[in-house]
Amino acid sequence: MKRWLYIALFLSAGFVSESSGQEKLQTSIQGYMVPAIVYNGDTIPHITLRTVYVYPKLEFKNRRQERYYYKLVRDVKKTLPIAKEVRNAVIETYEYLETLPDEEAKQKHIKAVEKGLKQQYTPRMKKLTFSQGKLLIKLVNRECNQSSFQLVRAFMGPFKAGFYQTFAALFGASLKKGYHPEDEDKMIERVATLVENGQL
């Protein structure tokens, strides 16, 4: 009788450990759904990997140069989202203007957009440093493929473009400032690309 009891206990213990092992196995499997393609009868996961940008390693000549680089990274992270918002606003405004029937309706809409932009962005602009403001002008050019001066002139006319340019000049900035990713703005382009891609 004892012998049968031992056998029953042994088997039940094995069953319990086996079932708990299966539970562990089932709960430890984690993953996520991915697209798949069928090739010659086999189902194969199909994942598009993002582009990874590789640049030569930076070598700083001194601490001042290193500080400049990390300040640039901080400034790009702060101003690039604003430049992208400006690009979206420009595209939206342009597309909407195309639907309006006459010049009067277009001018009315532009004034409403200008007022809205001032309300939305003035508090944010006040928090930018002088160097961040100058960087933003460059990044707007990068995103829109036009200088800030050209954008203002296209939407608000030459008078307002001249006014804003004069105002910017009082602070040593220029809305006409171009963006040259292959030359003087090489480092800005490198940082902006890495930030956009989530590598910085």
Side-chain angles (χ1 to χ4, degrees):
M1 185 72 176
K2 284 184 180 178
R3 186 176 169 193
W4 288 108
L5 186 61
Y6 287 137
I7 290 171
L9 285 171
F10 178 75
L11 288 174
S12 65
F15 176 75
V16 169
S17 66
E18 188 180 332
S19 63
S20 65
Q22 285 176 350
E23 284 174 19
K24 279 182 184 175
L25 184 65
Q26 288 173 355
T27 56
S28 66
I29 295 173
Q30 295 178 351
Y32 54 92
M33 298 288 287
V34 295
I37 56 170
V38 178
Y39 179 74
N40 289 340
D42 286 334
T43 304
I44 304 168
H46 179 259
I47 303 166
T48 304
L49 299 174
R50 71 178 184 182
T51 303
V52 176
Y53 296 94
V54 180
Y55 290 94
K57 186 181 176 183
L58 287 172
E59 292 182 11
F60 303 109
K61 293 176 183 176
N62 49 48
R63 289 283 296 164
R64 184 168 172 265
Q65 205 176 60
E66 187 178 0
R67 280 196 306 271
Y68 167 78
Y69 173 75
Y70 287 110
K71 180 180 177 298
L72 179 63
V73 171
R74 182 199 70 196
D75 291 348
V76 167
K77 285 182 176 181
K78 190 168 185 177
T79 55
L80 186 59
I82 299 172
K84 289 185 179 297
E85 287 172 30
V86 169
R87 179 196 63 202
N88 293 338
V90 166
I91 292 168
E92 264 179 46
T93 303
Y94 178 77
E95 287 176 350
Y96 187 73
L97 287 175
E98 291 296 299
T99 67
L100 296 176
D102 54 32
E103 192 60 32
E104 186 182 342
K106 289 179 181 181
Q107 288 305 317
K108 188 177 178 182
H109 181 68
I110 287 171
K111 283 180 182 176
V113 169
E114 184 183 3
K115 185 179 178 183
L117 289 174
K118 279 181 180 175
Q119 287 174 346
Q120 184 180 351
Y121 287 101
T122 299
R124 289 170 74 182
M125 295 299 171
K126 284 181 177 178
K127 291 179 182 176
L128 296 181
T129 64
F130 175 68
S131 60
Q132 287 168 349
K134 289 178 82 172
L135 178 62
L136 179 60
I137 290 170
K138 282 182 174 282
L139 291 176
V140 165
N141 192 316
R142 177 184 187 263
E143 292 301 312
C144 300
N145 207 24
Q146 292 182 72
S147 71
S148 299
F149 181 82
Q150 289 169 316
L151 290 172
V152 174
R153 186 175 62 185
F155 285 102
M156 299 176 190
F159 177 76
K160 281 203 172 177
F163 171 77
Y164 285 123
Q165 169 61 16
T166 304
F167 185 73
L170 292 174
F171 296 94
S174 172
L175 299 181
K176 295 179 179 179
K177 195 77 175 166
Y179 184 70
H180 310 285
E182 300 298 324
D183 190 22
E184 64 186 80
D185 300 318
K186 208 174 193 176
M187 188 59 71
I188 296 172
E189 181 61 24
R190 171 178 172 152
V191 172
T193 302
L194 292 174
V195 168
E196 282 175 327
N197 206 43
Q199 290 178 246
L200 256 183

